[in-house]
Amino acid sequence: MDRRSCVAAVGAVTVSTLAGCLDDVTDRTDDEDDDQPGAGSANGANQNDDVDPHGAVEAVETYIEAGQAGDEETMSDLAYDDSPVDPTWIERMVDESDDDWEIQETEPASFENVDVELLETDVELAEVEHVEALEFWLEDEALELIDGDDTALVRTEWTDTDPDGYGYPDEVDEESHWVLFVDDGEWTILWTGPPQGTIDDFREPVTDEEGRLVEAIEYDVQELDEDGEMAAFIDGDEIHTAEVTFVDDPDPDIDAARLESTIALGSGGVEPIGAAARFSVDLDPEGDELTVYAIVDGEEEVVHREHYEP
């Protein structure tokens, strides 16, 4: 993946993730944080009238509600200027690029049961799961803002009732973490991304013994070229991938398939599954977990899972 495709991907994720329908927003905060900057009600989203949301929680809620309403001005006001969470960032990147780009609109996603929770305050950069991603996208000046003083981590959880992409079930439970800091007395969003998996999250291996879907799995390691630092969020000089080959005659009950790596957060799907179809997913160079899912009647089943040890 080159930098240009990364830019387009981040913009698409930001827009599609935040333009959904917030049918049910719930806050979970601590009373002891009421004196934090920006604390106050979150436009009626807080279902507990006795406890005001933490300022960082309120900022995330307001940002998501603005995304629902298509209010890019409010989203931009709540975001750090030089971060992909600012909806104007992708436009500025395209304008400054020497390449010919076209920004495509995406259909709004549909969400239910959105929950916003304060995880931790006064965090340092080393405590953030997405250090590699932050270092890739943000300048040193932005990274220095996560210094353990007036910073926060917030988690959002929701149900995506219309997942975008092949190989997904009818509904998917999603989660994102948000990194915020206080700028001129106001909580400001610096970054958001899915939680980073670790080796502790690995599960028991599963083998497709009946040959319903998986024919073979091959691992590959590629050396990065001169522009390699643009190719991935993973540290190092190599890109590790797994290529799954599907059987010639897959189980007819399987409508689609999806691959997922736990640590590298690689994901992709195939629908329908053709004879001897192949699909690849990125892996963490230090080791990862590969899971192959089958979609049957809108439900997700684990067909194969194995641990990658380079």
Side-chain angles (χ1 to χ4, degrees), residues 218-223 238-243 281 283 308:
E218 297 181 0
Y219 296 103
D220 185 38
V221 179
Q222 295 182 345
E223 298 288 338
E238 301 172 335
I239 295 180
H240 294 227
T241 59
E243 182 180 74
V281 66
L283 302 169
Y308 172 60

Side-chain angles (χ1 to χ4, degrees), residues 89-105:
W89 178 88
I90 183 67
E91 298 173 3
R92 287 184 275 119
M93 291 291 290
V94 170
D95 290 341
E96 296 170 4
S97 173
D98 295 330
D99 298 300
D100 186 18
W101 283 98
E102 178 183 357
I103 301 177
Q104 298 181 346
E105 298 290 335

Side-chain angles (χ1 to χ4, degrees), residues 21-26 45 47 111-116 157-158:
C21 177
L22 293 166
D23 295 327
D24 182 16
V25 180
T26 304
Q47 295 184 349
F111 298 113
E112 292 180 351
N113 306 320
V114 181
D115 182 82
V116 185
E157 296 176 315
W158 69 93

Side-chain angles (χ1 to χ4, degrees), residues 159-280:
T159 300
D160 187 345
T161 58
D162 187 20
D164 184 20
Y166 298 125
Y168 284 91
D170 292 342
E171 293 186 353
V172 177
D173 291 330
E174 300 279 13
E175 179 180 349
S176 284
H177 290 182
W178 304 66
V179 182
L180 299 92
F181 69 99
V182 175
D183 181 22
D184 196 22
E186 298 294 334
W187 283 101
T188 301
I189 300 169
L190 181 66
W191 181 260
T192 183
Q196 191 80 42
T198 70
I199 192 172
D200 294 333
D201 298 318
F202 286 5
R203 294 145 292 187
E204 288 294 322
V206 176
T207 302
D208 185 8
E209 296 179 348
E210 299 179 1
R212 299 176 61 206
L213 182 62
V214 177
E215 174 70 25
I217 298 177
E218 297 181 0
Y219 296 103
D220 185 38
V221 179
Q222 295 182 345
E223 298 288 338
L224 299 182
D225 55 23
E226 294 180 357
D227 296 327
E229 68 274 13
M230 305 300 233
F233 296 147
I234 304 171
D235 280 345
D237 300 322
E238 301 172 335
I239 295 180
H240 294 227
T241 59
E243 182 180 74
V244 178
T245 301
F246 300 119
V247 296
D248 290 337
D249 187 20
D251 186 332
D253 292 334
I254 299 177
D255 303 314
R258 182 169 63 88
L259 313 183
E260 183 178 82
S261 56
T262 300
I263 297 181
L265 301 177
S267 182
V270 179
E271 179 184 355
I273 306 170
R278 296 183 178 184
F279 205 88
S280 298

Side-chain angles (χ1 to χ4, degrees), residues 70-88:
D71 183 359
E72 291 191 0
E73 182 177 354
T74 296
M75 295 170 69
S76 184
D77 289 343
L78 290 164
Y80 181 69
D81 290 344
D82 293 325
S83 168
V85 295
D86 185 336
T88 67

Side-chain angles (χ1 to χ4, degrees), residues 282-305:
D282 289 339
L283 302 169
D284 191 290
E286 297 183 0
D288 214 324
E289 178 185 63
L290 172 69
T291 303
V292 182
Y293 296 95
I295 309 302
V296 179
D297 295 331
E299 298 293 330
E300 191 172 72
E301 299 180 10
V302 176
V303 174
H304 188 91
R305 177 182 290 127

